[in-house]
Amino acid sequence: MSISYHDSNTRMSQAIIHNGTVYLAGQVPQDASADMRGQTEQVLARIDELLVQAGTSKENLLSAQIWVTSMAEFDQMNAAWDAWVVPGRPPVRAALEAKLAKPEWKVEIMVVAALPEA
């Protein structure tokens, strides 16, 4: 059994690959001054980058967990998500309201994806 750790530090890895599955850590925005949609777009772009580095893409998403700080802005997050997700291939998903580690963050997203078959 091999486990591959990517972009790791002493606390966590940004991605782990095991048995044909890619697990990403929760991703947060780089520019917290953006609104909910802008922050979500940043997070989704980072997810794209990490998935490509791991050898897969959003076309192979299996699941997503989404945390937002305010359900009043949930529609903005969904607008960014709907524009990003591959039509006909939406992953299973859970989304909930939560207090995030930094008060300026509005959204955090964690995904799991399959590696494409060789």
Side-chain angles (χ1 to χ4, degrees):
M1 169 176 70
S2 69
I3 301 173
S4 176
Y5 300 86
H6 300 264
D7 293 329
S8 302
N9 61 33
T10 57
R11 178 167 292 150
M12 64 183 285
S13 297
Q14 291 300 312
I16 292 179
I17 302 171
H18 174 259
N19 201 24
T21 305
V22 178
Y23 303 86
L24 295 189
Q27 299 301 308
V28 294
Q30 293 295 313
D31 176 8
S33 69
D35 64 7
M36 175 67 83
R37 183 172 183 148
Q39 287 195 21
T40 303
E41 289 168 346
Q42 291 173 47
V43 169
L44 296 173
R46 178 65 177 144
I47 288 171
D48 279 334
E49 292 171 7
L50 289 167
L51 290 174
V52 167
Q53 289 172 15
T56 192
S57 72
K58 65 184 176 184
E59 291 183 359
N60 299 308
L61 284 180
L62 301 172
S63 69
Q65 296 175 349
I66 303 170
W67 297 271
V68 297
T69 56
S70 172
M71 282 299 178
E73 298 178 289
F74 192 67
D75 289 344
Q76 289 183 48
M77 181 281 298
N78 271 330
W81 176 269
D82 292 345
W84 177 80
V85 76
V86 176
R89 299 189 74 140
V92 297
R93 187 183 107 160
L96 56 108
E97 184 176 76
K99 183 176 178 180
L100 300 180
K102 290 188 177 181
E104 61 268 25
W105 291 339
K106 295 178 174 286
V107 62
E108 182 169 351
I109 302 175
M110 183 177 184
V111 302
V112 176
L115 287 173
E117 292 186 12

